[in-house]
Every structure is written in structure tokens, then in C-alpha cells.
């Protein structure tokens, strides 16, 4: 299985709502990532988990809260978002980066989020 | 620091035309290089990769060769199809920056029948 799955595919939420995005992979990867992507732009890294521990937080506002319940699952909890947070949210996984390289990331299809 | 520069689009070609999308990079050491493709309304798919100088990555008729002397990783395809219409991103990963992916700005390709 070489697939990363994400749910939901689309999400519309108000600024006072709380929602969660989910990501799952069964490739045995121990690194998982959240990215935000605006239209026609490259993805922007938000968070990295390595061996289920948060290893990188790219100064993301606290209204985004990641969680890694186990090695296959990654969640992104959303609360009090702003309209400018509307974007495609992508999850990815990879082998834990090592000195030798070859650490390609495998992406899910994304959740298209609209904040009203 | 590490950076990736790719040719600006959009690129518009007729079916069966030859495609080149230029990508050059700046990095210390020996980065890994990638091409990702994003079809309309979808996530990113790894198209091909190369991890050392003179490696050639290939997939689905696309090729790119890791040229350390010119710090380039240009994407080529001999005969494009309408189904190749997508945005193409060049990226690098380097031990010096926690192996985070550094992305080019993307090149939009439209192939007309």
C-alpha cells in the first residue's frame, strides 16, 4: 500500500467552529507532515512528526493544533480560523530523513478548507 | 542557503511536442532532487527523483538528470499528451536543513490537442 489518505476531501467551517483533519498511511513511514498550499503556489510546511513526536513547528499559529496518535495517523485540529486560512491542506509521509538521502515524501490528495 | 529556481509559466504546448522545464538549485553538499506533479484538483505526486550527481530519474516518459556541474535538474519529455497538463514542482532535500523540502515556485503546463 503506497497511499496516503486524507479526510474529509472538502470542509467548510465558520470562524467559531472546531474541526479536525485526518491523515492515514500504511507504508510504515515514521515521519509525517502537514502542509498548507494556496492556489498555484508550492506547499508551505507547517509541522513535522518524527517517531510520533513533533520535531518541527514552522511558527504556525496556535489555532492549528497537530496530533499524532500513532505511527499511522496524523490529525490537524482547527479552532477559530480566519478566512485567510482557506487553502488546500496536504498530509505527507516519508522514511525518517537520514544522511544518505532518498527521502521522498508521499502526499495525500488534500483537504480543501474554506473558512467563512 | 538552499534554493530552487524553475522557469516561470505558464507553458502551452501542442500534443506530441517536446517539453523542457528548467530547474536550477543552490545548495551546499549533496542534495536529493525531486520533481513533483500536481494535476488539477489533486494532491502532489512524486514524478521522479535523483539522489546523486549524474543520476537520471525517469517515470511516465519524463526524465531529469542531476547535473552537479551546472546545478540543474531539468525535466524533459519527448512527446507530451493532453493528460500531462498539470503544475510541475522542482524540489530539493538537503541534510543541512533538516531534510525539509525546498520548493521551486512551480510551472503550469497546458497541452492542447
Amino acid at each position: 500500500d503506497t497511499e496516503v489518505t486524507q479526510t474529509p476531501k472538502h470542509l467548510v467551517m465558520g470562524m467559531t467552529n472546531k474541526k479536525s483533519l485526518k491523515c492515514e498511511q500504511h507504508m510504515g513511514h515514521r515521519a509525517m507532515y502537514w502542509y498548507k498550499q494556496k492556489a498555484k503556489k508550492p506547499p508551505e510546511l507547517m509541522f513535522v512528526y518524527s517517531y510520533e513526536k513533533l520535531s518541527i513547528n514552522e511558527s504556525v499559529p496556535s489555532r492549528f493544533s497537530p496530533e499524532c496518535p500513532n505511527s499511522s495517523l496524523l490529525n490537524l485540529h482547527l479552532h477559530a480560523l480566519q478566512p485567510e486560512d482557506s487553502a488546500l491542506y496536504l498530509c505527507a509521509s516519508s522514511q525518517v530523513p537520514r544522511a544518505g538521502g532518498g527521502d521522498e515524501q508521499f502526499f495525500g490528495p488534500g483537504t480543501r478548507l474554506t473558512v467563512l | 542557503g538552499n534554493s530552487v529556481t524553475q522557469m516561470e509559466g505558464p507553458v502551452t504546448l501542442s500534443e506530441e511536442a517536446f517539453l523542457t522545464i528548467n530547474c536550477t538549485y543552490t545548495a551546499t553538499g549533496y542534495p536529493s532532487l525531486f520533481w513533483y506533479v500536481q494535476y488539477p484538483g489533486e494532491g502532489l505526486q512524486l514524478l521522479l527523483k535523483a539522489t546523486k550527481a549524474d543520476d537520471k530519474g525517469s517515470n511516465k516518459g519524463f526524465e531529469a538528470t542531476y547535473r552537479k556541474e551546472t546545478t540543474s535538474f531539468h525535466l524533459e519529455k519527448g512527446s507530451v499528451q493532453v493528460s500531462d497538463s498539470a503544475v510541475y514542482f522542482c524540489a530539493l532535500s538537503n541534510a543541512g536543513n533538516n531534510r525539509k523540502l525546498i520548493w521551486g515556485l512551480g510551472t503550469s503546463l497546458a497541452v492542447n490537442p
Side-chain angles (χ1 to χ4, degrees), chain A residues 40-114:
Chain A
K40 306 274 189 179
K41 301 289 187 186
E44 302 169 35
L45 184 65
M46 300 174 71
F47 303 103
V48 181
Y49 274 83
S50 180
Y51 296 107
E52 295 89 70
K53 293 192 187 312
L54 184 65
S55 60
I56 295 176
N57 176 343
E58 292 286 285
S59 302
V60 178
S62 60
R63 57 186 184 270
F64 295 91
S65 175
E67 178 196 19
C68 189
N70 61 54
S71 59
S72 301
L73 293 174
L74 186 66
N75 298 323
L76 185 63
H77 303 297
L78 314 172
H79 174 55
L81 295 194
Q82 304 297 309
E84 60 264 28
D85 296 322
S86 298
L88 181 68
Y89 287 83
L90 294 161
C91 173
S93 71
S94 76
Q95 302 288 352
V96 173
R98 61 194 187 283
D103 44 345
E104 62 266 34
Q105 294 180 22
F106 295 85
F107 285 80
T111 294
R112 190 160 300 281
L113 173 67
T114 303

Side-chain angles (χ1 to χ4, degrees), chain B residues 6 10 45 55-57 63-64 73 88 90-92 101 106:
Chain B
Q6 48 180 123
Q45 296 180 27
D55 265 2
K56 178 186 280 188
E63 293 183 340
F73 193 54
Y88 293 81
C90 185
L92 74 80
L101 282 173

Side-chain angles (χ1 to χ4, degrees), chain B residues 40-106:
Chain B
E42 297 187 11
L44 289 150
Q45 296 180 27
L46 177 66
L47 184 58
L48 51 84
K49 71 170 186 177
T51 58
K52 60 183 186 297
D54 301 324
D55 265 2
K56 178 186 280 188
S58 61
N59 186 24
K60 299 182 181 179
F62 291 89
E63 293 183 340
T65 301
Y66 188 144
R67 301 280 188 206
K68 194 158 177 66
E69 65 274 15
T70 54
T71 61
S72 65
F73 193 54
H74 304 321
L75 183 69
E76 296 182 336
K77 186 175 185 183
S79 175
V80 293
Q81 305 300 310
V82 172
S83 57
D84 293 324
S85 299
V87 180
Y88 293 81
F89 292 96
C90 185
L92 74 80
S93 169
N94 202 349
N97 70 322
N98 266 333
R99 294 221 159 264
K100 291 190 290 187
L101 282 173
I102 307 299
W103 299 88
L105 292 181

